[in-house]
Amino acid sequence: GQQVMQIPQYQHVQEGEDFTTYCNSSTTLSNIQWYKQRPGGHPVFLIQLVKSGEVKKQKRLTFQFGEAKKNSSLHITATQTTDVGTYFCAEIETSGSRLTFGEGTQLTVNP
Amino acid sequence: NAGVTQTPKFQVLKTGQSMTLQCAQDMNHEYMSWYRQDPGMGLRLIHYSVGAGITDQGEVPNGYNVSRSTTEDFPLRLLSAAPSQTSVYFCASSYVRGNTIYFGEGSWLTVV
């Protein structure tokens, strides 16, 4: 099946610094979803990108889908301690039945 | 609105024991799935279902059984627990066709 590779695996930042995580695939993705999981919690849906070159913003979070639909990124501007957690990208198969997750980027924010 | 409810939250099993992780959703979602999460390995799909009476295998199905007799419930059965099945298990549901997926709060399972 499809594989999505996510980098970096870990990221430590000082509060106020920016953060970016990348999701890459060797094949064209039908769509991409992003999730956030707080320590000890469960994944929570953030957003879905479907169109080539799509850019969506949620306050300090910016999500991009590559023009070739083979990569995606999540950028957080001016991180806060509330941003701590693991961010996952996930691709849904064309049939809509299976969700394949990247390995996640674990973000820690030093106050 | 309870969303996705998983029980139990914590469980310790001895090797060879069997048990069932329960999952129920009250959102009338067609699609339900089970994932396991291990450190550094993200979430891996165990089994999924696109509707009552229909189930299929995911990436890591060995050692697990599922059934979907109703839209609401999707239990995961461990047939003969092994230490390798020590993990956090998440149940998830959504409308089919790639809508928002809702996760339960997780079940922490330890097999000794």
Side-chain angles (χ1 to χ4, degrees), chain B residues 30 48 82-84 95-97 106:
Chain B
E30 290 295 321
Y48 67 99
S84 61
Y95 292 111
V96 191
R97 280 301 183 186

Side-chain angles (χ1 to χ4, degrees), chain A residues 9-10 31 33 35 37 40-45 48 88 92-104, chain B residues 31 35 37 40-43 45 48 50 57-59 90 95-106 108:
Chain A
Q9 189 174 2
Y10 302 98
N31 57 61
Q33 292 186 349
Y35 291 79
Q37 184 178 22
H42 60 280
V44 175
F45 174 84
Q48 176 167 284
F88 292 97
I92 293 184
E93 289 185 350
T94 306
S95 66
S97 300
R98 293 174 57 134
L99 191 67
T100 301
F101 281 83
E103 294 181 353
Chain B
Y31 177 67
Y35 292 85
Q37 185 173 34
M41 299 193 72
L43 292 128
L45 181 64
Y48 67 99
V50 298
Q57 294 182 349
E59 182 185 355
F90 289 99
Y95 292 111
V96 191
R97 280 301 183 186
N99 277 278
T100 302
I101 293 179
Y102 298 87
F103 284 84
E105 295 190 348
W108 274 253

Side-chain angles (χ1 to χ4, degrees), chain A residues 11 13-17 19 36-39 60-61 76-87 106-111:
Chain A
Q11 185 75 58
V13 299
Q14 287 294 127
E15 189 171 21
E17 292 181 338
F19 159 76
K36 176 183 179 181
Q37 184 178 22
R38 295 182 185 274
R60 295 179 293 103
L61 277 61
I76 302 178
T77 303
T79 55
Q80 299 175 359
T81 54
T82 53
D83 295 325
V84 165
T86 301
Y87 293 84
Q106 185 175 327
L107 172 65
T108 56
V109 179
N110 297 322

Side-chain angles (χ1 to χ4, degrees), chain A residues 27-79:
Chain A
T27 57
T28 302
L29 302 168
S30 59
N31 57 61
I32 199 89
Q33 292 186 349
W34 286 93
Y35 291 79
K36 176 183 179 181
Q37 184 178 22
R38 295 182 185 274
H42 60 280
V44 175
F45 174 84
L46 294 176
I47 209 158
Q48 176 167 284
L49 304 173
V50 178
K51 299 178 182 176
S52 168
E54 191 169 13
V55 178
K56 288 188 177 180
K57 292 189 176 184
Q58 291 179 351
K59 297 183 180 179
R60 295 179 293 103
L61 277 61
T62 302
F63 303 85
Q64 292 190 333
F65 203 6
E67 292 288 344
K69 299 185 72 174
K70 289 186 177 182
N71 56 75
S72 180
S73 65
L74 159 59
H75 179 82
I76 302 178
T77 303
T79 55

